[in-house]
Amino acid sequence: MWRRRNVAGPTAPADIGGTGDEPRTRRRRSLATTGALASVLLALCAYTIIGTALTTSAARDHSLALSVDGWFGEARSAVALEEVHARHYQVEPSVAVRHRYVAAADAADEALRQVTTAGLAAAKDARRLLAEQAAYRDHTDRLLDMVADRDPARTSFDRLEVTPAYYQLQQDIDSVTRAYHASAQTQAAALRQAQVRMLVGTSVGFGLGFILVGVIWRLVLGYQRRLAQHADVNEHLALHDPLTGLPNRAMFRRRLSSALQQLKSSPGTHLALMILDLNGFKAVNDTLGHEAGDQLLAEAGRRLRASVREGDLVARLGGDEFAVVLPQFSGVIEAVREAMRVADRIAETLREDFLLDAGPAAVSGSIGVAVGPTHGVNEELVRHADAAMYRAKSNGGGVAVYDSQVDADTPDRMALFGELRALLDAGDPDRQLVPFFQPQVRIADGMVTAVEALARWLHPTRGLLMPGVFLPIAETRGLEIPLTYHMIDVAVAQAAVWQNTGAPMVVSVNVSPRCLLDPQFVPRVRDALAASGLEPGLLQLEVTETSVMTEPERSRKVLRQVRDHGVKVSIDDFGTGFSSLAQLKQLPADELKIDRTFVRELANDPEDVVLVRSAIDLAHNLNLTVVAEGVEGLDALALLAELGCDLAQGFVLSRPVPAEELPQACVRAHQQASEIGARQRADIHAA
């Protein structure tokens, strides 16, 4: 609150004495001069007092208008963030997202309650918006509860109750915000007019009373400067993040909208938007404390400013999320190329250690890039950059450019992703993610010696989901590692049951390529074996050629570690990865699986016969067992027997079945393989 200074006025001058022949005239002149000066002083004092009062009133009104405008702006931003987190919760119903939603809703309520302390008109509007916010929050809370309970009526409730309430609230708060923003502009204009009048009046008074008016003029100008500085400080605080000094979300949206508007006046020009999230920031907060986290954010802001070009905008959106706007490019390719250069500089500088008071800390960045207007404008552009950022995060960090084919999920895929993530986070308490087992028959005697565990999802409403429905979602959304670990746990547990009942079988489990790069992979495999009591030799991990080729040295080291523990390793989909013979020779493996593309038409395609024979000979020379997968006919099975293949797997023997149906499936597979053996013996006898 401003405090008015008390300024003492000057004393009136003494009567002017004089000499001459007309003392009466001089006295009258002196009295007239004294009266005129007194009148000027009184008029000047009155004008100064009135002008100061008007200027103070205008400044107070302007300050109040700015505060009201700022509160409504905060409420509008909080309501938008509240809706974002509510929609995010529908996709990812987690406690963290629910907390962010509650925080945004509380911020909206608090901002509107601040307005109720202002004038009557603003308080009335604020109370009306508070009522609408309360209704929208009540509907949204009910919707989130329905999402958490998987209530099928949530979609219709969202469409009929939540969405209309949000749009009504958004429309009203936008209207009120614009109105009070205009009011703030009007008050600013009034303040400027009062200042101009004061300056003109002071200038006139300066000519009549040089010393007095000069002092008053300087005081008034000083007071005006303080008012202007105070207004500038308030505006800066309202539009900048106090921790990093960067523009905040409100300023970011304003500058982004302005930059997109400028593109309309220059057809063919583009801008690049980057959304950045710090990987590992939560660990810094949890281990070193929030003060260290604040220091890291401030330093990250400085590094971001130093990494961008002059004229680029760097803003902090909240938490550990930042945004960078790179304006004015002549084409999409140029925008992407320059954005990638800047993003690489940012990623490189963020990988350098942060030397904090509590100790050194290391984080990295996940950066999503979208180009406007090609990838959208305003909120759509932000969403697309955010989607690209999440894809980069799922890949372990780095930079990703928005791709509509990858990042633009349908509502159905987003719903499945949210359900799968919640299922894996909760540890699958209802056992929806289960393995189906497909027998592998030893061709020589028809015995089933091994099975492959294949993931299935027993969805409560969609029924049995095949891997082609949910595995691509897991792979593109960063869930393939927890899904692989879950399948290893359940497959090993089932294999231990068979071991304990006296019917042990080798169980093969497919391993995601990214698991080989995860430091927790080997410990997780060992823990699963220890928890179940399964002999390590009864577990076989299947890896593809391409997964090993990503980081060959590191992958070979990991495979050697699990193999040293007694676990078997199988090279899956052999023939499709274009790996070199030298690469194959160096792999620590026990088995080679010939891909189904070479087996499916084996009985009808002589070229496939040549390729399969070569693969079998190569594997045997490397002391590897050979499995042919995708065997769909008895003729192909007979031909594989002639070629010396060790094991066969396919629909002609058995389809994947649940664990309880496996004994019957093994019997049928044995019977089918026995027919081939009988046919071969008959041919030999006939010969």
Side-chain angles (χ1 to χ4, degrees):
M1 181 177 179
W2 288 100
R3 294 183 178 178
R4 185 179 302 162
R5 290 187 176 183
N6 297 319
V7 181
T11 58
D15 292 342
I16 300 175
T19 59
D21 297 333
E22 300 178 350
R24 185 177 297 179
T25 303
R26 286 194 297 269
R27 283 195 297 270
R28 285 198 298 265
R29 190 177 298 167
S30 176
L31 290 174
T33 302
T34 302
L37 181 58
S39 299
V40 170
L41 292 175
L42 290 175
L44 184 59
C45 289
Y47 183 85
T48 302
I49 293 172
I50 294 173
T52 302
L54 292 176
T55 304
T56 302
S57 176
R60 188 184 302 112
D61 292 342
H62 181 225
S63 178
L64 179 60
L66 281 177
S67 298
V68 171
D69 182 28
W71 289 330
F72 276 129
E74 291 177 10
R76 180 174 62 178
S77 299
V79 167
L81 190 59
E82 181 182 1
E83 173 69 3
V84 169
H85 290 317
R87 297 304 171 190
H88 188 185
Y89 187 86
Q90 296 181 53
V91 176
E92 181 185 338
S94 64
V95 174
V97 176
R98 187 70 177 260
H99 284 171
R100 289 196 292 272
Y101 156 76
V102 171
D106 291 342
D109 293 340
E110 180 61 25
L112 291 174
R113 278 193 289 269
Q114 290 281 357
V115 183
T116 59
T117 62
L120 295 178
K124 181 178 179 182
D125 288 333
R127 284 191 289 270
R128 175 170 59 85
L129 292 176
L130 270 173
E132 293 183 13
Q133 159 68 2
Y136 166 66
R137 184 173 183 179
D138 180 66
H139 290 325
T140 306
D141 287 340
R142 289 178 57 192
L143 174 62
L144 298 188
D145 291 339
M146 294 170 73
V147 170
D149 296 337
R150 297 190 180 92
D151 191 338
R154 62 185 182 271
T155 302
S156 59
F157 181 78
D158 184 9
R159 184 179 67 256
L160 298 176
E161 298 291 341
V162 178
T163 299
Y166 170 70
Y167 282 129
Q168 181 63 44
L169 174 60
Q170 185 185 50
Q171 180 180 358
D172 290 349
I173 200 169
D174 284 345
S175 176
V176 170
T177 302
R178 285 194 296 270
Y180 283 97
H181 183 73
S183 175
Q185 297 297 324
T186 302
Q187 295 296 335
L191 175 60
R192 287 193 295 270
Q193 292 175 359
Q195 293 170 346
V196 170
R197 288 195 297 268
M198 191 68 183
L199 181 59
V200 172
T202 305
S203 299
V204 173
F206 180 83
L208 300 176
F210 181 78
I211 298 175
L212 177 62
V213 176
V215 173
I216 295 176
W217 185 68
R218 285 192 296 270
L219 292 175
V220 171
L221 286 183
Y223 183 53
Q224 291 174 345
R225 281 194 298 271
R226 287 193 296 274
L227 287 178
Q229 291 171 356
H230 181 67
D232 291 341
V233 169
N234 283 343
E235 183 178 11
H236 185 275
L237 292 177
L239 297 175
H240 288 76
D241 173 49
L243 179 61
T244 62
L246 298 174
N248 60 14
R249 183 180 293 270
M251 172 64 86
F252 161 72
R253 295 188 181 280
R254 183 182 301 180
R255 294 279 297 275
L256 177 62
S257 178
S258 175
L260 289 169
Q261 193 67 29
Q262 291 178 7
L263 297 182
K264 295 181 180 180
S265 60
S266 301
T269 58
H270 297 76
L271 64 78
L273 170 64
M274 295 191 296
I275 300 295
L276 181 147
D277 187 81
L278 297 180
N279 305 321
F281 175 73
K282 183 177 183 299
V284 175
N285 259 348
D286 294 342
T287 57
L288 300 182
H290 291 283
E291 183 175 350
D294 290 345
Q295 291 179 355
L296 190 148
L297 289 174
E299 174 61 22
R302 286 190 289 270
R303 294 187 185 184
L304 288 177
R305 282 195 298 265
S307 301
V308 301
R309 311 166 309 164
E310 185 176 356
D312 294 339
L313 171 69
V314 179
R316 183 189 176 200
L317 302 183
D320 60 347
E321 191 173 40
F322 297 83
V324 180
V325 178
L326 292 76
Q328 293 297 324
F329 295 102
S330 59
V332 176
I333 296 177
E334 181 190 355
V336 172
R337 184 185 299 116
E338 184 61 28
M340 292 297 291
R341 277 199 290 264
V342 174
D344 288 340
R345 286 201 301 269
I346 291 174
E348 183 67 26
T349 188
L350 288 178
R351 279 193 290 267
E352 298 176 5
D353 284 351
F354 288 77
L355 303 180
L356 311 177
D357 292 343
V363 299
S364 60
S366 295
I367 305 173
V369 179
V371 177
T374 303
H375 295 152
V377 296
N378 295 326
E379 292 300 324
E380 183 183 22
L381 183 63
V382 175
R383 287 197 307 271
H384 289 168
D386 204 47
M389 182 271 291
Y390 275 108
R391 176 156 55 87
K393 182 176 285 289
S394 70
N395 292 331
V399 186
V401 179
Y402 174 74
D403 185 342
S404 60
Q405 299 298 319
V406 177
D407 298 316
D409 282 337
T410 64
D412 186 63
R413 283 172 57 88
M414 293 182 67
L416 274 179
F417 164 69
E419 292 172 336
L420 181 59
R421 179 170 183 172
L423 203 62
L424 293 172
D425 288 344
D428 191 16
D430 300 328
R431 297 185 178 180
Q432 297 181 27
L433 295 170
V434 297
F436 275 35
F437 299 94
Q438 188 172 31
Q440 294 179 349
V441 175
R442 189 166 56 201
I443 299 178
D445 57 8
M447 298 300 295
V448 176
T449 60
V451 293
E452 181 179 1
L454 301 167
R456 299 289 188 270
W457 187 354
L458 299 177
H459 196 280
T461 59
R462 302 170 187 254
L464 179 64
L465 298 182
M466 303 301 286
V469 177
F470 60 90
L471 283 186
I473 298 175
E475 291 169 354
T476 58
R477 288 291 187 172
L479 298 181
E480 70 273 33
I481 292 179
L483 180 58
T484 298
Y485 291 159
H486 177 77
M487 293 307 301
I488 289 176
D489 290 340
V490 294
V492 165
Q494 181 59 55
V497 172
W498 293 329
Q499 171 187 268
N500 296 335
T501 57
M505 279 189 294
V506 175
V507 176
S508 295
V509 181
N510 290 282
V511 174
S512 165
R514 292 197 180 100
C515 285
L516 299 180
L517 307 180
D518 183 21
Q520 296 302 314
F521 175 65
V522 175
R524 283 298 301 265
V525 173
R526 292 175 178 172
D527 291 345
L529 292 171
S532 64
L534 181 69
E535 289 293 330
L538 295 178
L539 174 63
Q540 186 161 253
L541 301 178
E542 295 190 6
V543 296
T544 64
E545 292 179 272
T546 53
S547 67
V548 177
M549 291 169 63
T550 303
E551 289 193 29
E553 192 61 39
R554 184 174 177 182
S555 299
R556 287 195 295 267
K557 179 180 179 181
V558 170
L559 293 177
R560 278 193 294 268
Q561 289 177 345
V562 295
R563 199 159 176 258
D564 291 344
H565 194 65
V567 177
K568 296 181 178 179
V569 175
S570 174
I571 303 173
D572 196 11
D573 298 339
F574 179 76
T576 62
F578 305 104
S579 62
S580 66
L581 295 179
Q583 180 80 3
L584 180 63
K585 175 184 176 182
Q586 296 174 6
L587 285 178
D590 302 275
E591 179 184 272
L592 183 144
K593 295 188 73 173
I594 301 175
D595 188 70
R596 66 182 64 248
T597 57
F598 304 104
V599 179
R600 187 182 301 115
E601 299 296 329
L602 184 64
N604 304 314
D605 191 338
E607 293 182 355
D608 283 345
V609 174
V610 174
L611 292 173
V612 171
R613 177 185 289 113
S614 300
I616 293 173
D617 292 342
L618 173 64
H620 285 166
N621 289 332
L622 293 174
N623 296 320
L624 301 178
T625 302
V626 182
V627 180
E629 60 179 347
V631 182
E632 299 181 359
L634 292 176
D635 293 340
L637 184 60
L639 191 53
L640 287 169
E642 294 178 9
L643 296 175
C645 185
D646 301 304
L647 299 170
Q649 172 185 348
F651 288 171
V652 70
L653 299 170
S654 174
R655 291 179 177 272
V657 296
E660 59 271 16
E661 298 179 15
L662 186 62
Q664 296 87 346
C666 291
V667 171
R668 291 193 298 270
H670 176 68
Q671 291 173 349
Q672 290 286 74
S674 297
E675 291 184 17
I676 299 301
R679 185 186 305 177
Q680 286 181 325
R681 286 191 297 271
D683 292 341
I684 294 173
H685 180 72

